[in-house]
Amino acid sequence: MKAARDLSASVLPLSLEGVGYAVGGKPLLSDITLRIEAGQRLVVMGANGAGKSLFLRLCHGLIDPTTGRRRWASGEARAEAQAMVFQRPVLLRRSVAANIDYPLTLKGLPRTARHETVAHTLDRFGLNALAGRPARLLSGGEQQRLALARAWAMRPQVLFLDEPSSALDPSATRIIEEMVAQFSDEGITIVMTTHDLGQARRLGEQVAFLHRGRLIEHRSAAEFFAGPQTPEARAFLAGDLIW
Amino acid sequence: MIHTRRFILSAASGLALIATLPAAAQEFITVASTTSTENSGLFGHILPLFQEETGIAVRVVSQGTGQALETGRRGDADVVFVHARAQEEAFVADGYGVQRVDVMYNDFVLVGPGDDPAGLRDAADARAAMAAIAGAGAAFASRGDDSGTHVAEMALWAAAGLAPAGGWYLATGSGMGATLNTAAQVPAYALTDRGTWLSFENRGDLELVFEGDPMLFNPYGIILVNPERHPHVKAAPGQAFIDWIISDAGQAAIASFTVGGEQLFFPGAD
Amino acid sequence: MDGPFATAFSLIASGDPALMQIIGLSLRVTLSAVVIACAVGLPLGAALALARFPGRGAVIVVFNALMGLPPVVAGLIVYLMLSRSGPLGSLALLFTPTAMVIAQTLLILPIVVSLTRSVVEDLWAEYREQLLSLGAGRLRAVPTLLWDGRVSLLTGVLAGFGRASAEVGAVLIVGGNIAGHTRTMTTAITLETARGNLGLAVALGIILMALTLTLNAAAWGAGQWARGRLG
């Protein structure tokens, strides 16, 4: 149903140009200009309500900007080579293997290619033993692993993750972080939100700091953690309440 | 997707169920008749004899006389077989039926509580019996449904010079069986055809308390629905049924139908 | 005298062909109506859950209200449509099992549509972002949501089956309760009651309830099994 895509062509960078998002005249994101380059690991930080999740959804194409422009280098309105993992993944009421198969079917992949990809994905993430299990009955950590595996099977060039481990215990969190790091090593661009400073330090190469729907800092992680430029970011890192 | 396909497949195979519903392979006619004939079991007795002789199946829709005539008027039956002479004659006069033919008769009887509070057992005639019920204000269960029995009942009240009304007069608006069930519960008097009464099992305290007046004569007529009005009417097999039922064979079949050793219907064809 | 249970049991045990024919017809008519109502009602209910159009609220209210449509009225409508003097008279369907299927479908459809809409609407609230992210548009989401809501939807389908198998008003009017042709369990019960054969009527009622009970037990078991297996 879709023409075979040229895997070598990059959909990145993704450029946001003066992007804003308002609901009922109330601006939730304002005037964000940012380029997400291929291969980077960008961590989006900010207090609760700063607009982090909304920012990810806007990049991913679940919502469209009400002002400004969002442009993929491929020229697509919504790049196909992307995936997103949510804080609480929605797994379909079917087996683990069928959950991985589902988006591949949507992409119109032929049956044999799907079988191969599913088998490879199960193998790659150590899910073989769970392949026939109903996805909804997995533990929280296993569910998030499956969500990441499902996203990976879609062959994304960029993967968005919204607080992927905030509901998980430390050992499950470690597994998720290792998976994200591996994806990054494979060349997948990572954009993730987290409120966990430790996680941001471990995974972030770049940091985007949002405050009340505005992007007020966007720097390398090393620079950001060494000394934020804005008082809001300084207060955030110090653990103060900011608003 | 596998699951969706399975889903659609099962839906489709379910739809195929309908295709297996019995097809009308055999020649048949539809007869709109009254609950009294069906409930008494008369049709169960005579129709197999007719089918054996002619190969024509008869599908009986049993309704009240009013509804049966309406079914005929709408062209939804080929033959109507009812018991309300005036309405039947109007049906033919209005062009819905070809001709009314006498088939048989039974009679109406009055049933009521065994202790007979209105004293119907001593009534001189049907008029007096009706007047006694109204005079005593004894409970009376009426069909109230425009059926042949109801029409006969209203004619009796009129003959007695009464217009029944009041708490004692219960219009059930139901079939004969349901009305008898009600009468048995109250208990109340009721006018019923003898056939339904004889085959009715849930009598409770009810007993036959009045019978025999010529006014209670209950003739059944049969009418072919007019094919000029409704061209789809199966005139030939319909007429075959009418011809058979008034033939010697048909009349003998009616006479041979008994319940508990009692004959319910009496041949009445000319 | 024999109790109605004993009568019911001996009726079944006797294997009376007339009784078997009545049971078979009842099941065929009702199951056919359920299948048609599902084939139409599941996609329609799902579409109603996902689509946004002017007058949507009114449509939802109408379907909810139609769940209370009296069977007699449904029967009367179908009767007037299928009568020789009605718009579809030439089809010669009145007093046939097909007419009963149509009437029962009319009774079940609102239940299936309303329940599907409610189940799919709730699921869509939960699944919307994830499905859009995975690449499923609204249209493609319909079968996915129906499949994932299958256990809840089964309840609605069973409610529809219950309503259809229990009703007598509609099938009596459009079927005519013709012996051997359109006589179902419920119209037979009505007839036996009218005859004063209350014992036989209750026995038939017991058989009908036993069938309904068996079907519900099977569906409940399947639902529990699916819940355990599929979460």
Side-chain angles (χ1 to χ4, degrees), chain B residues 27-32 47 50 54-59 77-81 98-99 101 103 221-227 230-247:
Chain B
E27 186 179 19
F28 69 91
I29 58 170
T30 304
V31 174
L47 294 184
F50 171 67
T54 62
I56 301 168
V58 180
R59 294 181 180 171
D78 304 305
V79 170
V80 294
F81 185 11
V98 175
Q99 186 197 352
V101 182
V103 178
I222 195 163
I223 307 171
L224 179 70
V225 175
N226 196 343
H230 293 294
H232 60 268
V233 163
K234 294 169 182 162
Q239 190 59 49
F241 179 60
I242 294 171
D243 290 344
W244 178 82
I245 207 164
I246 61 176
S247 72

Side-chain angles (χ1 to χ4, degrees), chain A residues 57 60 93 102 134 136-137, chain C residues 127 129 133 144 148 228-229:
Chain A
R57 281 164 172 73
H60 187 43
R93 288 185 172 83
Y102 181 77
R136 289 271 179 153
L137 298 184
Chain C
Y127 281 33
E129 286 197 322
S133 171
T144 305
D148 269 43
R229 247 190 61 77

